[in-house]
Amino acid sequence: MRQKPTVLAREIVASSRLFRVEEVQLRFSNGVERTYERLVGRGAGYGAVMIVAMIDEDHALLVEEYCGGTDEYEVSLPKGLIEPGEDVLAAADRELKEEAGYGARQLEHITELSLSPGYMSQKIQVVLATDLYEERLEGDEPEPMRVDKVNLRELSSLAQNEQFSEGRALAALYLVRDLLTQRGAFTA
């Protein structure tokens, strides 16, 4: 296993309500020094969840919301921040109720994904939700989210949808499809 570089200095060089930009000066084991910048979250960093909620044996729920990063309405999986003191599965169930209007009787942590590890420290927990039932909680969304669904057999066409661009969501859907196929719960 490679030796991690030595941190020579760290400094927050920019800050906003949501993010901080940290400059990190590093020395690698071969003596080369570099300065990296990375986006770090504010606060204690409890993490986030992304939910693959299976409405039936073939279809996962999608939600449509305005995305500030792309300045577009996009469809993706329900997701959100984990609140202080909340575990991953409770956060997944809460976010699913807030964003899609469903709860889940079965929740399973699948994996952890990053978005851009070269520049961001944030990671997201992927949760599979099954045995859904209707229940809505009020969330922090500024407007109601439209709920849609995707057939796990048609993920390649989802990737061509102009309103769908989140790579983590696509990875999560493929992972769940493969997992359900292995378990015999889904036949591709």
Side-chain angles (χ1 to χ4, degrees), residues 129-144:
T130 55
D131 196 8
L132 304 184
Y133 59 93
E134 290 188 32
E135 182 177 342
R136 179 162 300 280
L137 290 178
E138 187 170 333
D140 60 359
E141 292 74 23
E143 61 186 359

Side-chain angles (χ1 to χ4, degrees), residues 11-14 20-26 34-40 116-121:
E11 179 183 2
I12 301 297
V13 294
R20 295 176 297 160
V21 177
E22 181 181 51
E23 185 177 88
V24 184
Q25 295 176 6
L26 302 171
R34 288 284 192 276
T35 300
Y36 281 62
E37 288 182 352
R38 67 184 196 142
L39 193 62
V40 292
S116 182
Y119 299 99
M120 298 177 157
S121 62

